[in-house]
């Protein structure tokens, strides 16, 4: 099992909450609180969860846009959690990100060609003509006419902008793409196109994806492995088919049964989730899901719940289901 | 999992929207705003008059001489013909008449207004230029690097350098040099250690963050805003030798606070935008992010406040000149023409009204233009097309 592109262990990010005149730290928001997963070469890991559970923070931690407070990130066997500025520059060519909002992710004052060109500068391509040719190639690759390189983002539709965002990410020839809800803001018909584009790119370029989404259908379609996240913890981690056919964690069950039009997992009554996700600010000890879990008992409120290994690839953070 | 059928058609979904650059779009909206257009037109006329005025009123033998005293011809009303019997040929007004009349020394008010237009224009632009420069610099630092904390270290170093420099400047060389050397040694030591490798416990408090850059800059802005700026300017001008450059600098240095707040706010929101994150992820440097991604997106409100600021600066200069603290006498400015004329307001009302109206119209045109710009640049106020 040494073909991991990315291996994350015990990743933590705690944001301080400050109040008052002296900005005293009155508590911590544990956005990411001990997350482990790995992504195999050329495969996709789907990261699912409700909004505010820390999925996007995980993406930004891996990209080193945020500094982790704990844990390690290994990229191709190399620990990248404490890198110097210069090494970081090398890392930028290896992994890239695609954003959710196609309107906020492109600079409105720059032509799309110039936007994509920035990655080529990072690659160190000095020759202007070569950069222009590469920009055209990248645009064609994502299905946009190369002649539109000198247009501004407002001249494109949402789906087209998302393609441009993908072209920008591809400009540095990365191996790992972090897709931060890339289709959530798009129409369903456009979603399909973007997802198929991502699949096609994965086949042709051998990319690995960390696919962050709250849409279980999309994640199920794209992912080889799925991690279900709740309030900074991974609750269940399993190969895609396993997770969808034999979900174990009560939260996963609730999520799956809330997808409209989906076959309900067998032998289980529908469990609608009540209430909202509690705030991650100073949570009570024990299982993070205790407040909304239909199976919660006294034991769930004491101490950290372990990550149980059900089978070789299936792990779940609940003691009741094993 | 059969929801996503592979699509067969090639992927460009829709033809892109009709070609329209931002410049064209801007102009199209601008033309609709009549008041702003009028403001721009008046501004352009004013600009041409000011530039032309400079060229015809300066030099050793100007065509329009604003300083030429014709005592027998004092307080002549506008459009009056010169009295040919008392004037020598060189003293004739160039247009054959006193277009705006003459003042109490018989100087041609039209020539003086021409000269004053240039003063107003330069004061407006230079003062606002200084204000915008300081504003973007400080606002940008506060917005982009604001969270960097200033440690007690830094404050100590700053005091050391300031003390050294001031001791040096006030003539006590020896302590000054000692302090400066100490400061440089301190700087060298902290620069060399790079990452502070666990300072000894006694010195640990030096590394403690006292405040953040953002707090420091924004509280300074608040302090500057506490002073009524006109009186601050009066105080400073009273201390400095009166010259047109000092006036510009002082007006500029007392009006940068609004711009700083604007720029900081814009930078704070832009910093969280996805395209900035994307640029960081691509390994684009800080400098390029600031100058290519953030400033172009932050200039719109700055431009608006600058335009309105020009009007404010012209008004402030006129006010200062009126009070006698402004540009010194050989120069005519609209403010001091007004000030000189107020003694004769009943005998020669044109001396007050002509510069007064000129100021009114120019300031109004800048304000209208600025407000038009704000409407056009604000996408929320922009009507859908």
């Amino acid at each position: 099992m040494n073909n991991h592109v990315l291996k994350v262990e015990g990743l933590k990010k705690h944001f301080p909450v400050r109040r008052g005149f002296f900005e005293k730290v009155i508590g911590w928001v544990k956005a990411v609180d001990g997350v482990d997963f790995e992504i195999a070469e050329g495969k996709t890991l789907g990261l699912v969860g409700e909004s505010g559970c820390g999925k996007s923070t995980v993406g930004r931690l891996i990209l080193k846009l945020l500094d982790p407070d704990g844990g390690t990130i290994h990229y191709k066997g190399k620990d990248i959690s404490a890198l110097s500025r210069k090494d970081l520059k090398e890392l930028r060519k290896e992994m890239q990100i695609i954003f959710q909002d196609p309107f906020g992710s492109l600079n409105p004052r720059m032509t799309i060609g110039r936007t994509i060109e920035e990655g080529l500068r990072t690659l160190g391509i000095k020759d202007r003509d070569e950069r222009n040719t590469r920009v055209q190639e990248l645009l064609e690759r994502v299905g946009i006419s190369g002649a539109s390189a000198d247009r501004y983002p407002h001249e494109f539709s949402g789906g087209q902008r998302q393609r441009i965002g993908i072209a920008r990410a591809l400009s540095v020839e990365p191996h790992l793409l972090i897709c931060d809800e890339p289709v959530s803001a798009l129409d369903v018909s456009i979603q399909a196109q973007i997802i198929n584009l991502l699949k096609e790119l994965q086949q042709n370029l051998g990319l690995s994806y960390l696919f962050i989404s709250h849409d279980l259908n999309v994640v199920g379609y794209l992912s080889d492995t799925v991690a279900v996240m709740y309030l900074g913890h991974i609750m269940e981690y399993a190969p895609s088919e396993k997770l969808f056919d034999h979900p174990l964690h009560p939260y996963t069950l609730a999520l799956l049964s809330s997808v409209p039009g989906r076959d309900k997992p067998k032998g289980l009554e529908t469990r609608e989730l009540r209430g909202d996700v509690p705030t991650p600010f100073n949570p009570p000890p024990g299982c993070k899901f205790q407040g909304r879990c239909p199976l919660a008992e006294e034991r769930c409120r004491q101490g950290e719940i372990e990550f149980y290994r059900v089978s070789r690839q299936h792990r779940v953070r609940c003691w009741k289901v094993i | 999992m059969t929801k996503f059928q592979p699509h067969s058609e090639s992927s460009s979904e829709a033809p892109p929207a009709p070609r329209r650059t931002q410049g064209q779009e801007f102009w199209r909206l601008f033309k609709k705003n009549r008041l702003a257009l009028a403001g721009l037109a008046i501004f352009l006329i004013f600009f041409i008059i000011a530039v032309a005025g400079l060229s015809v009123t300066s030099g050793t033998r100007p065509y329009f001489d604003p300083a030429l005293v014709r005592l027998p011809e004092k307080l002549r009303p506008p459009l009056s013909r010169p009295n040919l019997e008392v004037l020598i040929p060189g003293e004739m007004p160039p247009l054959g008449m006193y277009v705006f009349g003459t003042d109490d020394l018989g100087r041609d008010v039209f020539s003086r207004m021409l000269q004053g237009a240039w003063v107003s224009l330069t004061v407006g632009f230079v003062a606002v230029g200084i204000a915008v420069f300081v504003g973007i610099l400080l606002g940008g630092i506060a917005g982009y690097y604001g969270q960097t904390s200033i440690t007690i270290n830094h404050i100590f170093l700053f005091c050391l350098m300031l003390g050294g420099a001031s001791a040096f400047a006030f003539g006590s060389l020896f302590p000054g040099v000692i302090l400066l050397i100490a400061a440089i040694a301190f700087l060298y030591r902290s620069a060399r250690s790079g990452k502070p490798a666990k300072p000894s416990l006694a010195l640990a408090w030096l590394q403690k963050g006292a405040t953040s850059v953002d707090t420091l800059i924004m509280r300074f802005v608040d302090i500057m805003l506490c002073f009524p700026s006109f009186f601050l300017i009066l105080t400073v001008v009273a201390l400095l030798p009166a010259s047109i450059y000092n006036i510009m600098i002082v007006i500029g240095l007392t009006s940068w606070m609004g711009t700083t707040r604007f720029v900081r706010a814009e930078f704070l929101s832009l910093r969280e935008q996805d395209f900035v994150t994307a640029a960081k992820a691509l390994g684009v440097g800080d400098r390029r992010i600031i100058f290519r991604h953030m400033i172009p997106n932050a200039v719109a409100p700055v431009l608006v406040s600058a335009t309105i600021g020009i009007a404010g600066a012209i008004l402030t200069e006129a006010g200062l000149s009126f009070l006698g603290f402004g540009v010194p006498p050989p120069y005519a400015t609209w403010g001091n023409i007004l000030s000189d004329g107020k003694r004769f307001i009943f005998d020669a009302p044109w001396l007050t009204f002509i510069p007064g109206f000129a100021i009114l119209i120019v300031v109004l045109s800048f304000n209208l233009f600025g407000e038009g710009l704000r409407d056009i640049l604000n996408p929320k106020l922009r009507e859908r097309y």
Side-chain angles (χ1 to χ4, degrees):
Chain A
M1 293 288 273
N2 252 339
N3 58 349
H4 294 317
V5 173
L6 190 79
K7 190 175 173 74
V8 171
E9 279 172 326
L11 192 63
K12 278 183 186 164
K13 181 71 191 176
H14 298 176
F15 295 105
V17 178
R18 295 169 193 277
R19 281 289 144 72
F21 186 74
F22 292 105
E23 309 211 315
K24 224 173 107 181
V25 178
I26 56 159
W28 297 87
V29 167
K30 298 183 176 178
V32 177
D33 196 17
V35 159
D36 318 75
F37 58 77
E38 58 271 332
I39 301 174
E41 184 93 50
K43 300 285 184 194
T44 303
L45 171 75
L47 192 57
V48 207
E50 287 168 280
S51 39
C53 71
K55 337 185 266 293
S56 296
T57 310
V58 169
R60 279 161 175 71
L61 285 170
I62 291 167
L63 277 168
K64 299 285 294 171
L65 294 171
L66 291 172
D67 285 323
D69 292 328
T72 56
I73 308 166
H74 285 270
Y75 177 78
K76 291 192 170 164
K78 193 172 154 220
D79 188 359
I80 59 164
S81 27
L83 275 188
S84 73
R85 255 188 125 73
K86 192 167 159 284
D87 296 333
L88 216 52
K89 195 118 190 165
E90 293 300 308
L91 186 71
R92 297 292 181 223
K93 299 174 193 165
E94 297 289 332
M95 45 176 88
Q96 278 302 316
I97 181 164
I98 306 169
F99 295 94
Q100 168 176 17
D101 176 14
F103 292 87
S105 62
L106 298 173
N107 185 345
R109 309 259 162 187
M110 253 192 198
T111 63
I112 58 167
R114 299 288 301 281
T115 297
I116 295 169
E117 209 186 334
E118 297 214 302
L120 301 174
R121 284 172 192 272
T122 304
L123 273 189
I125 301 172
K126 296 272 195 299
D127 183 44
R128 205 194 178 107
D129 291 333
E130 198 192 333
R131 283 205 302 254
N132 285 341
T133 327
R134 292 282 282 277
V135 166
Q136 313 258 326
E137 281 171 15
L138 284 162
L139 283 174
E140 305 277 353
R141 167 156 265 161
V142 297
I144 285 189
S145 150
S148 42
D150 58 346
R151 287 169 179 266
Y152 284 90
H154 71 269
E155 300 177 57
F156 294 92
S157 68
Q160 286 171 323
R161 289 185 196 204
Q162 204 56 286
R163 288 170 191 275
I164 296 162
I166 294 171
R168 170 179 59 195
L170 293 179
S171 66
V172 292
E173 295 164 3
H175 292 107
L176 174 66
L177 269 192
I178 292 171
C179 311
D180 191 355
E181 309 223 19
V183 297
S184 308
L186 303 175
D187 288 349
V188 179
S189 59
I190 313 290
Q191 280 190 7
Q193 293 180 7
I194 296 292
I195 284 168
N196 287 318
L197 173 67
L198 286 173
K199 277 228 141 174
E200 188 187 307
L201 290 171
Q202 185 165 44
Q203 272 160 16
N204 295 340
L205 303 173
L207 298 172
S208 309
Y209 291 142
L210 171 64
F211 195 88
I212 300 169
S213 182
H214 59 253
D215 187 336
L216 283 165
N217 279 330
V218 173
V219 168
Y221 178 74
L222 264 175
S223 308
D224 301 291
T225 316
V226 177
V228 179
M229 229 179 137
Y230 188 81
L231 282 185
H233 269 157
I234 287 186
M235 291 303 190
E236 188 161 5
Y237 182 85
S240 191
E241 322 84 62
K242 272 242 175 76
L243 188 107
F244 282 92
D245 295 338
H246 304 286
L248 290 177
H249 198 282
Y251 180 59
T252 317
L253 285 171
L255 272 189
L256 284 175
S257 61
S258 68
V259 179
R262 243 197 103 78
D263 292 336
K264 301 284 179 271
K266 274 173 219 132
L268 286 150
E269 72 278 30
T270 311
R271 289 206 186 97
E272 257 180 55
L273 275 185
R274 284 169 205 288
D276 285 325
V277 184
T279 96
F281 175 60
N282 287 349
C287 179
K288 301 256 182 185
F289 190 52
Q290 53 172 289
R292 300 166 80 195
C293 184
L295 310 175
E297 277 180 20
E298 197 47 45
R299 185 173 156 189
C300 301
R301 300 190 179 89
Q302 297 159 354
E304 198 91 319
I305 307 295
E306 268 178 71
F307 214 15
Y308 296 98
R309 200 174 274 267
V310 183
S311 68
R312 211 165 68 90
Q313 292 151 323
H314 198 157
R315 280 174 281 171
V316 63
R317 200 184 283 275
C318 184
W319 59 274
K320 294 211 70 155
V321 297
I322 43 163
Chain B
M1 293 306 129
T2 51
K3 197 176 145 197
F4 300 106
Q5 298 297 330
H7 60 122
S8 50
E9 88 272 39
S10 88
S11 41
S12 285
E13 305 114 27
R19 204 70 225 267
R20 196 182 264 159
T21 63
Q22 290 195 324
Q24 286 167 334
E25 175 66 18
F26 176 79
W27 185 237
R28 197 182 66 82
L29 286 164
F30 195 78
K31 274 193 293 190
K32 281 191 184 169
N33 192 331
R34 291 250 185 84
L35 280 177
L37 208 58
L40 180 66
I42 294 173
F43 163 63
L44 287 177
I45 293 167
F46 168 61
F47 187 79
I48 293 165
I49 289 176
V51 173
L54 176 74
S55 62
V56 294
T57 57
S58 60
T60 44
R61 285 209 54 75
Y63 188 61
F64 288 90
D65 191 347
L68 184 65
V69 176
R70 314 172 182 84
L71 282 175
E73 294 274 85
K74 65 182 179 183
L75 299 183
R76 299 292 304 272
L79 298 177
S80 61
R81 303 247 162 224
N83 184 353
L84 294 174
E85 290 163 18
V86 297
L87 292 180
I88 58 165
E91 292 178 342
M92 280 290 289
L95 297 177
M97 64 165 100
Y98 301 114
V99 181
F100 287 163
T102 60
D103 66 3
D104 58 320
L105 294 175
R107 291 176 295 189
D108 182 19
V109 176
F110 185 67
S111 307
R112 288 171 63 73
M113 288 293 293
L114 280 180
Q115 193 182 33
W118 175 254
V119 173
S120 293
L121 186 80
T122 45
V123 166
F125 273 84
V126 174
V128 167
I130 292 171
V132 165
F133 178 76
V134 175
I136 290 185
L137 190 75
L138 287 182
I141 291 173
Y144 196 80
Y145 297 107
Q147 297 320 308
T148 318
S149 65
I150 293 176
T151 60
I152 294 171
N153 247 335
H154 295 139
I155 298 173
F156 183 60
L157 183 64
F158 179 75
C159 293
L160 218 57
M161 288 188 119
L162 194 73
S166 53
F168 205 71
F170 286 112
S172 46
L173 289 182
F174 186 66
V177 168
I178 294 286
L179 280 176
L180 280 180
I181 287 175
I184 289 164
F186 194 71
L187 194 69
Y188 179 73
R189 192 177 149 269
S190 48
R192 237 185 52 167
S193 55
K195 266 187 186 169
K198 287 270 172 183
S200 63
L201 213 64
L203 287 174
W205 61 274
L206 279 179
Q207 303 286 347
K208 222 178 137 192
T211 176
S212 69
V213 175
D214 183 53
T215 318
L216 197 72
I217 292 177
M218 293 328 283
R219 289 305 83 76
F220 183 53
V221 167
D222 292 343
I223 291 170
M224 286 295 288
L225 282 170
C226 283
F227 300 111
S229 61
F230 199 80
F231 294 98
L232 186 64
I233 295 170
L234 276 181
T235 318
V236 177
V237 167
L239 295 174
L240 289 175
S243 87
I244 186 166
Y245 302 105
N246 280 343
I247 300 285
M248 293 176 193
I249 293 168
V250 168
I251 294 178
L253 289 183
T254 49
S255 54
W256 51 270
M257 290 81 77
T259 315
T260 305
R261 283 187 166 174
F262 272 132
V263 173
R264 170 179 176 266
E266 286 293 314
F267 267 48
L268 283 180
S269 77
L270 284 171
R271 207 174 50 167
E272 304 300 320
Q273 295 265 330
D274 283 346
F275 66 82
V276 173
T277 313
K280 280 183 188 159
L282 279 173
V284 178
D286 274 1
R287 203 163 33 137
R288 204 178 155 80
I289 288 180
I290 291 174
F291 285 103
R292 285 296 169 78
H293 290 275
M294 297 180 76
I295 288 184
N297 282 295
V299 286
V302 174
L303 207 65
V304 173
S305 75
T307 318
I308 294 173
I310 289 175
I314 291 175
L315 215 52
T316 308
E317 184 275 324
L320 283 175
S321 294
F322 182 79
L323 292 176
F325 286 97
V327 179
Y331 271 102
T333 75
W334 293 355
N336 63 27
I337 298 171
L338 196 73
S339 160
D340 291 344
K342 74 175 187 295
R343 283 177 292 158
F344 310 103
I345 190 159
F346 295 112
D347 303 325
W350 60 90
L351 288 182
T352 325
F353 281 94
I354 287 171
F357 271 117
I359 294 169
L360 174 82
I361 288 169
V362 168
V363 169
L364 187 69
S365 79
F366 271 103
N367 279 333
L368 288 177
F369 179 54
E371 271 167 30
L373 267 186
R374 170 161 53 207
D375 291 353
I376 290 159
L377 295 173
N378 183 353
K380 278 181 196 149
L381 295 177
R382 186 184 291 185
E383 53 186 305
R384 288 269 140 223
Y385 49 88

